[in-house]
Amino acid sequence: MALALLVASLAIMLYLAIRFEWRLALAAIGALIHDVTLTLGLLAILAVPMDLNVIAGLLAVIGYSLNDSIVIGDRLRDVLRAKPNQCVYISTNIAVCETFSRTLITAGTTLFTIGCLLILGGDALYGFALTLFVGVLTGTWSSVAVASCLQEILGLSASHYQRAPEHEGTC
C-alpha cells in the first residue's frame, strides 16, 4: 500500500509540475501527506480495522484534497499573472479568499452526506465513512492552510508564472 501511495504521489507531483509549477506540486503533496497522516492517526487511535473500505476512503480523501489544492493554486496562478508586482503573501490571501466560499460550500455538503453515511450506514460503512469524514475535514483545512503556506515557504513568486515573450515576425 505504501508503494502504491508513493507512486501515485510521484505521478501527481509530475503532472502538477508540468501543469502548474513544481512549488505547487510539492505543496499539494505535502498537504496530501498531512491529510493521510492525520486520518490514519485517528483511525489508529480509534482502532478502526484497515480493510478495503478504509483504503477506498483514503484514496477518495487524496482526490478530494488534491482537487481543493488545485483550485486554490489555479486561482493563485491567475492572481500572480494579473498582478506580478504584488507581494506573494497578499496574492495568496486573495486567492484563498476568492475560493473560500466554494471550499466551504463543497466541504459542507460533502460532510453532510458523509455524516449521514456515518450515522445511518451501519458497521459495513463505518470505516469508509469515518475515513472520509476525517479526511474531508483535514483536506479542506490543509488546502487552505498547509498547501498555500508551503508554496510561499518554497519561494513561489509571480515571476514563476509569467509567460515568456513571444518573438515577433516568426512563423
Side-chain angles (χ1 to χ4, degrees):
M1 180 175 112
L3 182 61
L5 287 175
L6 178 67
V7 170
S9 296
L10 290 175
I12 290 167
M13 198 161 98
L14 178 65
Y15 167 74
L16 291 176
I18 292 169
R19 179 71 176 99
F20 292 98
E21 219 269 331
W22 71 267
R23 289 165 186 85
L24 172 79
L26 206 54
I29 294 299
L32 289 177
I33 291 168
H34 169 269
D35 300 340
V36 171
T37 303
L38 284 179
T39 304
L40 285 173
L42 185 66
L43 293 174
I45 290 170
L46 297 175
V48 175
M50 291 297 280
D51 58 5
L52 289 178
N53 289 333
V54 172
I55 303 286
L58 284 172
L59 292 174
V61 165
I62 289 171
Y64 185 88
S65 176
L66 184 63
N67 178 51
D68 213 16
S69 296
I70 288 174
V71 167
I72 294 171
D74 188 44
R75 186 66 197 128
L76 177 60
R77 179 182 59 182
D78 293 343
V79 171
L80 288 173
R81 282 183 178 166
K83 300 177 182 180
N85 296 328
Q86 184 169 268
C87 177
V88 71
Y89 305 109
I90 294 171
S91 297
T92 300
N93 190 44
I94 290 170
V96 168
C97 288
E98 288 180 355
T99 58
F100 198 65
S101 63
R102 175 220 176 266
T103 299
L104 287 181
I105 290 169
T106 303
T109 55
T110 305
L111 286 172
F112 177 76
T113 306
I114 297 168
C116 291
L117 274 177
L118 190 59
I119 294 168
L120 303 172
D123 288 340
L125 293 177
Y126 178 74
F128 177 74
L130 183 64
T131 303
L132 278 179
F133 196 86
V134 173
V136 167
L137 279 176
T138 60
T140 301
W141 178 72
S142 72
S143 297
V144 172
V146 176
S148 299
C149 292
L150 278 177
Q151 294 172 26
E152 294 172 4
I153 290 169
L154 292 170
L156 183 70
S157 70
S159 64
H160 297 119
Y161 286 115
Q162 299 307 312
R163 295 187 176 125
E166 296 181 20
H167 300 287
E168 295 182 22
T170 60
C171 296

